[in-house]
C-alpha cells in the first residue's frame, strides 16, 4: 500500500535499500585486514575458548567481557511498539 504520491512497494524498497547500505557500511568497516583472533582476552587476559575463536573470526574479548560491553550500551528507555492508543496517550 502506497501513500501520497509514492508507488506501491516504495516504502519496502526504501527499507531494503537502507538495510543494504548499513550492511555494506559494516562490511567495509570490518575490511579485509581483520585482526586475527586472540587466544587471550584483551581486557582480562583470560583464555578465549577455541570454539569461540572459530565461531567469531577476529574475536578479541572473552564471553564475560563482551557481555559487560554489550550490557553497557543498552539504552535505558524504550519505544512503545505495541501501538495501542491508550499507551500512546499516557
Amino acid at each position: 500500500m502506497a501513500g501520497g504520491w509514492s508507488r506501491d512497494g516504495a516504502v519496502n524498497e526504501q527499507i531494503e535499500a537502507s538495510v543494504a547500505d548499513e550492511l555494506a557500511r559494516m562490511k567495509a568497516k570490518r575490511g579485509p585486514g581483520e585482526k586475527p583472533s586472540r587466544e587471550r582476552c584483551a581486557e582480562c587476559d583470560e583464555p578465549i575458548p577455541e570454539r569461540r575463536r572459530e565461531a567469531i573470526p577476529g574475536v578479541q574479548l572473552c564471553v564475560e567481557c563482551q557481555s559487560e560491553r554489550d550490557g553497557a550500551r543498552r539504552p535505558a528507555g524504550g519505544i512503545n511498539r505495541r501501538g495501542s492508543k491508550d499507551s500512546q496517550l499516557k
Side-chain angles (χ1 to χ4, degrees):
M1 178 173 95
W5 297 99
S6 63
R7 66 184 190 289
D8 287 342
V11 174
N12 284 339
E13 289 174 8
Q14 184 178 13
I15 292 169
E16 289 171 5
S18 297
V19 169
D21 289 345
E22 182 65 16
L23 287 173
R25 186 189 67 78
M26 291 173 63
K27 288 179 182 177
K29 183 178 176 182
R30 199 165 107 194
E34 184 179 296
K35 296 178 183 178
S37 296
R38 295 178 59 117
E39 292 187 16
R40 301 190 77 76
C41 179
E43 289 187 4
C44 68
D45 204 38
E46 289 291 319
I48 299 174
E50 184 177 346
R51 294 187 74 190
R52 178 168 169 78
R53 292 188 311 237
E54 291 172 359
I56 308 171
V59 69
Q60 303 293 308
L61 301 174
C62 66
V63 174
E64 292 82 16
C65 291
Q66 187 66 53
S67 296
E68 287 177 17
R69 276 195 182 183
D70 291 346
R73 285 190 240 160
R74 290 192 179 149
I79 298 172
N80 176 16
R81 298 185 188 278
R82 291 173 29 170
S84 70
K85 290 182 180 179
D86 293 338
S87 61
Q88 291 176 4
L89 295 174
K90 292 182 182 177

